[in-house]
Amino acid sequence: VKGRQHYTISYDYDLGADIYPDYDEFYFNIIGPEWNCNINNVSFNVDFPKPIDRNKIWLTFGEYGSTSQIKYSFDGSRSVSGSLSGLNNNQALTLRVEMDEGYFVGARVPKDYSALGLSITAISAIIVLIILIVL
């Protein structure tokens, strides 16, 4: 791609169930670290379905693991927005918000396939053992 380009990206995000028993968490790379180019300007707006606490919002940028924070706007209730200039290649812009447990009601729970995997492994081992005995 050559020349100046402008992209608008918009979508709904399915968080699924989180792993924390004491709170719900929104953790999202607005710009992920996989972009192998400089990004001169980023602007974003994230609207939450219910009010969130300003003291539990973290917006960071930089290399993987960076804790460098940027300023953002908060409407005092449920909308976080901001912008960033000069994001270098392979740097991310990440939003993290802690909410009260139960904030997301009816979250999708990932299926546990460990029992199925164990069963397949055990059956395979028995079949291999029988083949070895026969041979």
Side-chain angles (χ1 to χ4, degrees), residues 58-113:
W58 294 269
L59 192 58
T60 59
F61 77 98
E63 302 288 333
Y64 179 80
S66 173
T67 58
S68 299
Q69 296 197 20
I70 69 167
K71 293 183 180 180
Y72 58 86
S73 297
F74 179 58
D75 72 351
S77 180
R78 57 183 206 99
S79 184
V80 179
S81 60
S83 62
L84 178 65
S85 297
L87 196 62
N88 293 324
N89 64 323
N90 299 93
Q91 290 187 335
L93 173 60
T94 304
L95 175 62
R96 178 176 179 266
V97 181
E98 284 183 16
M99 300 98 149
D100 293 334
E101 179 60 29
Y103 183 92
F104 294 111
V105 177
R108 178 182 43 85
V109 177
K111 294 183 180 179
D112 181 8
Y113 292 105

